[in-house]
């Protein structure tokens, strides 16, 4: 993290999948970095009560002197149901209720909410922390609209430039406008490979990330892009070509 900051990167993002817990790791990283934004992309909501998520996020924000952005997401049915043994029923409804508990705790320190899934009357006090921005992993229309209506934006993965331009950005910006919110942030996560042989590099990406193409939410984004697999949406080329591709994405 210190090396990445020294190189001039603006932000560092970590996912919580099958290794380090991103919230804990970023809290530690926050104590030994000075300027770089630190964010989760993403932490799954189902395994963590929104009060626990808020407590961890505020702790991370305090540790990094409020350079922290909380990215949360629904994960996937097979992860939540088959691996964790939890219900994945009505995922969009789950996220709406989750935000109804999480956001007040982050923003005001208190919440009193009674819904179908959560009934929470609680408070938190982390005086060194400001409310961190929240972004949602959103690919389809329903989640993009929720992200635009309620949060600071969205964080993506394996969504191509054409799909971002024609689907992601218009949907989330319209949702934010309808809610009277400022234009939301769109954090585009794509593989980037500096390579002199683009075909070999894209084949490598497909080998390493191949399982993603069979996950329904990512498959839908790849189909929108006309891509057969992750290699087709990767940014690949020499330094000049990568700079041009990054500028196109910007």
């Amino acid at each position: 993290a210190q090396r990445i900051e020294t190189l001039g990167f603006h932000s560092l993002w970590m996912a919580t999948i099958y290794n380090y817990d991103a919230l804990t790791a970023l809290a530690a990283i926050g104590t030994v970095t000075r300027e770089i934004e630190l964010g989760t992309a993403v932490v799954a909501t189902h395994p963590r009560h929104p009060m626990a998520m808020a407590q961890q996020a505020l702790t991370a924000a305090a540790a990094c002197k409020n350079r922290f952005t909380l990215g949360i997401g629904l994960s996937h049915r097979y992860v939540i149901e088959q691996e964790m043994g939890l219900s994945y029923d009505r995922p969009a409804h789950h996220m709406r209720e989750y935000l109804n508990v999480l956001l007040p705790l982050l923003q005001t320190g208190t919440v009193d909410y009674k819904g179908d899934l959560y009934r929470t009357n609680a408070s938190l006090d982390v005086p060194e922390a400001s409310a961190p921005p929240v972004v949602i992993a959103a690919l389809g229309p329903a989640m993009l609209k929720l992200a635009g209506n309620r949060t600071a934006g969205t964080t993506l993965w394996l969504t191509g430039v054409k799909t971002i331009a024609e689907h992601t950005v218009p949907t989330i910006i319209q949702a934010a406008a309808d809610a009277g919110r400022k234009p939301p942030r769109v954090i585009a996560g794509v593989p980037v490979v500096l390579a002199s042989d683009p075909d070999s590099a894209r084949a490598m990406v497909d080998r390493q990330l191949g399982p993603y193409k069979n996950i329904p939410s990512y498959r839908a984004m790849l189909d929108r892009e006309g891509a057969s697999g992750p290699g087709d949406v990767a940014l690949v080329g020499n330094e000049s070509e990568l700079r041009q591709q990054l500028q196109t994405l910007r």
Side-chain angles (χ1 to χ4, degrees), residues 145-195:
K145 290 176 182 177
L146 181 59
N149 284 332
R150 301 290 305 278
T151 75
T154 186
T155 178
L156 310 174
W157 178 233
L158 296 181
T159 303
V161 174
K162 174 176 175 288
T163 302
I164 293 173
E166 298 179 0
H167 164 65
T168 306
V169 169
T171 304
I172 195 170
I173 285 182
Q174 185 61 56
D178 291 344
R181 299 174 63 87
K182 66 180 182 180
R185 189 176 185 185
V186 176
I187 303 153
V190 292
V192 180
V193 187
L194 177 63

Side-chain angles (χ1 to χ4, degrees), residues 234-245:
L235 307 186
V236 177
N238 59 35
E239 289 188 19
S240 175
E241 291 166 337
L242 281 178
R243 288 183 188 279
Q244 183 176 5
Q245 292 172 51

Side-chain angles (χ1 to χ4, degrees), residues 8-142:
F9 283 86
H10 296 134
S11 61
L12 171 74
W13 300 86
M14 290 185 68
T16 291
I17 310 178
Y18 301 113
N19 41 52
Y20 294 110
D21 173 73
L23 284 159
T24 306
L26 291 173
I29 287 169
T31 66
V32 295
T33 54
R34 295 184 178 182
E35 298 178 356
I36 193 168
E37 176 191 10
L38 304 173
T40 56
V42 295
V43 179
T45 54
H46 286 85
R48 304 187 199 217
H49 191 281
M51 183 177 176
M53 184 79 83
Q55 187 176 38
Q56 286 187 287
L58 290 168
T59 301
C64 71
K65 294 182 171 54
N66 298 307
R67 291 178 282 120
F68 179 72
T69 296
L70 177 63
I72 59 175
L74 293 167
S75 187
H76 306 283
R77 184 175 296 277
Y78 78 93
V79 175
I80 303 304
E81 289 189 345
Q82 297 175 25
E83 297 183 356
M84 296 185 179
L86 302 173
S87 171
Y88 199 72
D89 186 47
R90 302 172 68 193
H93 179 67
H94 158 87
M95 183 59 79
R96 277 191 286 272
E97 288 211 2
Y98 199 94
L99 292 173
N100 288 340
V101 178
L102 175 70
L103 294 178
L105 282 171
L106 292 177
Q107 294 164 0
T108 70
T110 62
V111 66
D112 185 4
Y113 175 74
K114 293 179 176 62
D116 297 330
L117 305 175
Y118 295 102
R119 297 166 184 82
T120 307
N121 186 341
S123 61
L124 292 171
D125 182 21
V126 185
E128 301 89 348
S130 299
V134 176
V135 296
I136 299 178
L139 299 178

